Amino acid sequence: MKSFVIIFIFLNLSLDLIGQYDQDTQVKVYLNLILSDPAKAETVMREAVNQTEEKDQMHWVYQNKLAEANYYLDKYDEAKDRLNQVIEVSHERGYDAILAEAYFLLGDLHIYTGEYATAIDNLSKSLEIYKKLDHRKGIAEVYNSFGLINMDQENFKKAEGNFKSSLEYGDAISQGDSYTYLGQLYLRMGAFDDAFDYAQKALKIAEENKDSYLLAMNFDVFGGYHLHKKEYEKAIEFLNKSLSLKMELEDFQGQAMTLNRLAKAFNETGEHQKAFYTYRRAFIFATEIGVKEEVKESSKALSRYYASKLNYDSAYFYQSFYIDVVESLSSERAAKKMAELEAAAEKKQKEAEIAKAEMEKEQSRLIAEQEKRNSYYSYGGLILSLVFGIFIFNRFRVSQKQKRIIEEQKKQSDELKNIAEQQKELVEEKNKEILDSINYAKRIQTAILPPDALIKKNLPESFVLYLPKDIVAGDFYWMEAYAKALASEGILIAAADCTGHGVPGAMVSVVCNNGLNRAVREFGLIDPGQILDKTREIVIEEFQKSEEEVKDGMDIALVSLEQQQEAGDSVTHNSCTKLSYAGAHNPLWVIRKGSDEISEIKANKQPIGKYAQPEPFTTHTLELEKGDQVYLFSDGYADQFGGDRGKKMKSSNFKKYLLEIKDEDILDQKFLLQTQFEKWRGEFEQLDDVCVIGIRI
């Protein structure tokens, strides 16, 4: 079954246009069957066509109905051929009402197949006839169709004008259509209060007429409105109503759209498993009937769901669907635009060819008449020949001029197409070069990060949650082992946040990482405060080499873990550990075993970089027992926007969640923190790089 928006237009206009034939038994039977059993409706109309002669006007009324039934049964070519035949005969015989309906049906058929230029041409002809007949309902429905075209092409202002023009001409039923479309339009534009108001007007008309199509569409608008208002229970109620009606109507495209919205509402209420199953139903419907917009939304959601469950094979499967459909939609929009330009050029060329053919026909007729008259009026014939020659010459000049204009337009169109293709190739090539460079930069940045195996060897009860905003990041983590004496060794570990993110942040991170390495390896420092002092000197010295003033730098939390131990053991194997900490803006959080509070050791309020009044960094020291936990982090996690109100998470909520998961296995904490971050973020873009390090002693 087709999308009910187009079917709805077909049916409403059919009911109105055949009002003058409402006593016809076969038409009545057809209207009662077309929605419930289109195949049987087609049989009824085919018999009606066969039982009437082509000279009868009713024969062509039946042909229009039969073409409409063909459309319902996916017989597009047959429907188009039949409607073109109706148009040809009705034009010759002056069947204006039938002709207007045929143009309208053909136009809406081309809307469904995406041939908008042809659709607009047919709808314009239909509108001209309806205005001539003062057929207000027909005028209203044509404006609605123009509005649907413009809404699909995101020409929202034009669509708004079309639907409001329809309101001026339509009766109560067609006004219900227009109110519904305006509700859908304003929902897409983000004018949610206007969408709600128009949907209420449409709903009243739909309830009075017991119109299931109209009810379903407006329940969708109410669902979208309440989603925006975060009134999720109301949204679920209306979307379920819409879904039930669409199931009765066998509108699979509509079901896919409603299921996607319903799944989003379930996610917002925390019913994630129900959301997963609902997105999967939407994906199945959408892929079966090829509705790419709904495939895009459902596949994106399913990919995220599986990634959150660490099921990366399934996540990749749905992500591949998402990427393919996004590329396909972009190509289709470009192809559709080019097709419209070509169709316009072809139309002008055909008009010129028709004019030329008419000229040649006229030329042949005049020559024949001239030859006949030459036998009687040789002198007069000579004069007529001269006049005719002048006329033909002028017509020929006009024809040649038109031909040159068309050829020039086609040439310009081809040139524009070639330029567009060249520009596209150039942009793609440049994008590839840039992306390749960034990916290579990522390899370099990854190389300076401590390997997972090294971290696990030295700190087996630990995790690093690292979520760059872009391919490369300004955040990084750092580790260095040192030996203090024969029976004593320690580990230095840090979570750092350099100015910016992406490529600029990554470049600063390389300089700052190098400063940390030199402070320890070249200058032999192991005290966190002294390391940060020396790193600041190195970073400032590096940036001073530039001719321009560079104020970039780094915030950091740096920890040293040290204890006496047996040879070969890691620093976490004894019961008591000495922790030393220094920080630039970024604090250290400690959760003691059995405690329900977080102890915060504050950092110095100055960066690693240029600062108006720099001071030596303070080293804080404390003893940790087995089971104590420490957390180092950048500001990206707590600064993320999201939640029900679209606000920052803030440190208070970050602390609260750490206390909730403190008794979980240390590796599970990483998964839970990432899941909570994605849940909080929701549809918001990631604001900054994220780096969180957790260590259990």
Side-chain angles (χ1 to χ4, degrees):
M1 190 68 70
K2 301 291 176 295
S3 169
F4 62 81
V5 174
I6 301 297
I7 291 176
F8 190 63
I9 297 173
F10 270 147
L11 182 62
N12 281 347
L13 190 60
S14 297
L15 287 167
D16 183 74
L17 289 176
I18 62 162
Q20 55 189 307
Y21 312 115
D22 57 7
Q23 299 305 313
D24 186 89
T25 303
Q26 287 165 304
V27 170
K28 284 183 177 180
V29 172
Y30 167 83
L31 288 176
N32 289 330
L33 289 171
I34 187 60
L35 291 180
S36 59
D37 193 347
K40 194 169 182 180
E42 183 191 42
T43 301
V44 170
M45 278 299 102
R46 202 177 294 279
E47 289 176 356
V49 167
N50 293 335
Q51 290 168 5
T52 54
E53 297 182 8
E54 292 187 6
K55 65 180 181 180
D56 298 331
Q57 188 171 352
M58 281 303 300
H59 176 86
W60 302 103
V61 173
Y62 297 148
Q63 288 281 23
N64 264 345
K65 300 300 109 193
L66 181 54
E68 187 178 36
N70 294 154
Y71 164 78
Y72 273 67
L73 297 170
D74 297 339
K75 300 176 182 178
Y76 304 127
D77 291 337
E78 184 177 345
K80 288 178 182 178
D81 291 342
R82 196 175 303 281
L83 289 169
N84 282 321
Q85 186 183 9
V86 173
I87 287 169
E88 183 179 356
V89 173
S90 299
H91 192 273
E92 289 175 356
R93 299 183 185 178
Y95 298 158
D96 284 349
I98 299 172
L99 179 62
E101 180 187 19
Y103 274 132
F104 178 84
L105 295 175
L106 189 59
D108 268 355
L109 182 55
H110 283 294
I111 291 177
Y112 185 78
T113 56
E115 301 165 281
Y116 288 151
T118 309
I120 290 170
D121 183 51
N122 284 291
L123 290 171
S124 298
K125 292 173 181 175
S126 177
L127 182 62
E128 183 179 353
I129 299 170
Y130 283 141
K131 286 186 174 181
K132 174 184 170 184
L133 297 173
D134 194 26
H135 194 302
R136 299 183 66 81
K137 177 67 177 294
I139 295 170
E141 293 298 350
V142 173
Y143 275 127
N144 275 338
S145 293
F146 280 136
L148 289 173
I149 293 173
N150 283 313
M151 183 161 63
D152 186 62
Q153 294 186 316
E154 298 184 353
N155 296 324
F156 294 140
K157 284 299 178 184
K158 286 186 178 180
E160 181 183 30
N162 294 144
F163 294 140
K164 288 187 175 179
S165 293
S166 179
L167 283 173
E168 295 176 11
Y169 288 95
D171 58 12
I173 294 176
S174 64
Q175 284 179 345
D177 304 350
S178 303
Y179 288 140
T180 299
Y181 302 144
L182 281 165
Q184 293 177 327
L185 174 68
Y186 287 128
L187 195 65
R188 291 184 64 179
M189 293 171 67
F192 296 98
D193 290 336
D194 289 335
F196 185 84
D197 291 342
Y198 278 104
Q200 279 191 315
K201 293 178 182 179
L203 188 66
K204 183 178 179 181
I205 295 172
E207 288 173 341
E208 288 173 355
N209 293 285
K210 298 180 180 179
D211 192 324
S212 297
Y213 290 109
L214 214 60
L215 286 169
M217 287 191 281
N218 285 288
F219 286 149
D220 271 328
V221 175
F222 288 132
Y225 171 83
H226 288 297
L227 266 177
H228 170 71
K229 295 292 184 181
K230 303 187 186 303
E231 298 166 348
Y232 301 119
E233 296 301 328
K234 287 185 179 180
I236 290 170
E237 177 187 349
F238 281 110
L239 292 171
N240 274 323
K241 286 182 179 180
S242 175
L243 187 61
S244 297
L245 288 171
K246 290 176 181 178
M247 290 171 69
E248 292 175 11
L249 297 167
E250 297 183 13
D251 175 29
F252 300 122
Q253 178 177 344
Q255 287 180 59
M257 181 193 72
T258 303
L259 285 166
N260 274 329
R261 288 183 179 174
L262 196 55
K264 183 178 180 182
F266 286 141
N267 261 336
E268 296 294 345
T269 58
E271 298 175 273
H272 301 302
Q273 197 66 20
K274 192 178 287 188
F276 164 71
Y277 287 121
T278 306
Y279 272 127
R280 195 161 65 177
R281 282 179 64 196
F283 179 81
I284 291 169
F285 276 129
T287 50
E288 282 181 351
I289 59 176
V291 187
K292 294 180 180 177
E293 287 290 349
E294 306 310 327
V295 172
K296 182 178 77 170
E297 184 169 348
S298 56
S299 60
K300 180 181 180 182
L302 289 168
S303 176
R304 285 186 173 182
Y305 173 86
Y306 279 113
S308 72
K309 298 295 183 183
L310 303 184
N311 186 343
Y312 295 117
D313 288 341
S314 296
Y316 176 78
F317 171 82
Y318 285 107
Q319 183 67 12
S320 298
F321 257 99
Y322 173 76
I323 292 170
D324 289 343
V325 80
V326 167
E327 292 176 349
S328 177
L329 284 168
S330 297
S331 299
E332 283 179 4
R333 290 190 183 103
K336 191 178 289 184
K337 193 67 178 177
M338 186 59 67
E340 289 174 7
L341 292 172
E342 290 176 352
E346 287 175 3
K347 181 182 176 183
K348 289 184 178 180
Q349 187 171 359
K350 284 180 181 178
E351 289 174 351
E353 289 172 355
I354 291 171
K356 183 179 179 182
E358 289 176 351
M359 181 194 73
E360 290 173 350
K361 184 178 178 181
E362 179 70 8
Q363 178 183 3
S364 299
R365 187 183 67 80
L366 290 174
I367 290 173
E369 289 180 0
Q370 185 66 25
E371 288 175 349
K372 185 176 179 181
R373 290 171 183 165
N374 276 344
S375 59
Y376 302 101
Y377 308 105
S378 57
Y379 185 73
L382 182 62
I383 295 173
L384 287 173
S385 296
L386 181 61
V387 172
F388 173 72
I390 293 170
F391 170 76
I392 293 299
F393 178 70
N394 285 334
R395 293 287 289 178
F396 177 75
R397 288 177 61 193
V398 170
S399 174
Q400 290 297 106
K401 184 177 180 180
Q402 288 177 331
K403 184 178 179 182
R404 284 196 303 272
I405 291 171
I406 291 167
E407 288 175 349
E408 183 64 28
Q409 289 176 337
K410 193 170 186 302
K411 181 181 177 183
Q412 290 176 356
S413 177
D414 291 340
E415 288 175 352
L416 288 172
K417 184 177 179 181
N418 290 333
I419 291 170
E421 288 176 353
Q422 290 172 4
Q423 289 177 336
K424 181 184 176 184
E425 289 174 1
L426 181 61
V427 169
E428 288 175 348
E429 182 181 347
K430 292 297 182 185
N431 284 343
K432 185 177 183 302
E433 290 176 1
I434 293 169
L435 192 59
D436 288 345
S437 297
I438 294 173
N439 283 323
Y440 187 75
K442 177 180 175 60
R443 289 171 58 191
I444 296 172
Q445 188 175 47
T446 302
I448 69 174
L449 296 175
D452 292 343
L454 179 64
I455 295 174
K456 287 301 173 188
K457 176 185 175 184
N458 291 291
L459 297 169
E461 286 290 300
S462 68
F463 71 80
V464 177
L465 176 61
Y466 187 56
L467 303 173
K469 180 183 184 299
D470 302 306
I471 297 174
V472 290
D475 283 16
F476 70 94
Y477 51 98
W478 176 84
M479 172 182 277
E480 187 76 13
Y482 64 87
K484 191 172 182 182
L486 290 176
S488 178
E489 65 178 29
I491 297 295
L492 290 162
I493 188 166
D497 179 3
C498 296
T499 307
H501 50 75
V503 175
M507 295 176 70
V508 177
S509 75
V510 172
V511 175
C512 294
N513 184 282
N514 177 63
L516 289 168
N517 287 334
R518 287 185 61 194
V520 176
R521 299 172 187 174
E522 183 179 334
F523 294 94
L525 301 175
I526 59 173
D527 178 81
Q530 294 176 5
I531 291 172
L532 295 189
D533 289 336
K534 179 56 67 175
T535 301
R536 176 168 57 190
E537 290 178 21
I538 294 170
V539 169
I540 292 173
E541 180 183 341
E542 289 297 320
F543 285 147
Q544 281 179 340
K545 294 176 182 178
S546 171
E547 293 181 357
E548 298 180 3
E549 184 180 11
V550 179
K551 295 183 179 180
D552 293 305
M554 168 178 68
D555 296 338
I556 189 171
L558 173 62
V559 160
S560 166
L561 295 169
E562 178 186 317
Q563 61 186 16
Q564 295 296 320
Q565 59 195 12
E566 295 180 9
D569 285 345
S570 72
V571 297
T572 60
H573 286 186
N574 289 319
S575 60
C576 183
T577 299
K578 177 185 175 183
L579 179 146
S580 300
Y581 155 79
H585 286 304
N586 292 350
L588 175 73
W589 288 351
V590 180
I591 303 178
R592 296 287 185 177
K593 184 178 180 180
S595 174
D596 290 324
E597 294 182 354
I598 290 180
S599 301
E600 179 174 300
I601 304 176
K602 296 186 180 297
N604 291 96
K605 297 298 180 182
Q606 58 184 359
I608 303 295
K610 274 196 172 183
Y611 189 64
Q613 295 178 327
E615 298 177 354
F617 285 95
T618 305
T619 298
H620 303 268
T621 303
L622 64 154
E623 298 291 332
L624 298 177
E625 301 295 329
K626 185 175 182 179
D628 291 346
Q629 298 176 86
V630 296
Y631 297 93
L632 303 82
F633 46 86
S634 63
D635 59 5
Y637 198 100
D639 282 352
Q640 178 60 46
F641 284 96
D644 294 337
R645 299 181 180 179
K647 294 185 176 180
K648 282 187 178 183
M649 179 184 289
K650 295 186 178 179
S651 297
S652 57
N653 287 321
F654 187 15
K655 285 182 179 179
K656 182 179 177 182
Y657 190 67
L658 282 176
L659 288 171
E660 289 178 12
I661 65 172
K662 65 184 176 65
D663 295 325
E664 301 291 339
D665 180 84
I666 197 72
L667 291 179
D668 289 341
Q669 287 188 26
K670 174 182 177 180
F671 170 75
L672 292 169
L673 280 168
Q674 183 171 355
T675 303
Q676 176 68 6
F677 181 78
E678 294 298 337
K679 178 182 176 182
W680 178 270
R681 184 172 71 85
E683 296 299 319
F684 285 83
E685 182 181 358
Q686 184 172 332
L687 182 70
D688 199 358
D689 303 320
V690 171
C691 183
V692 181
I693 300 173
I695 304 168
R696 180 175 284 158
I697 303 303

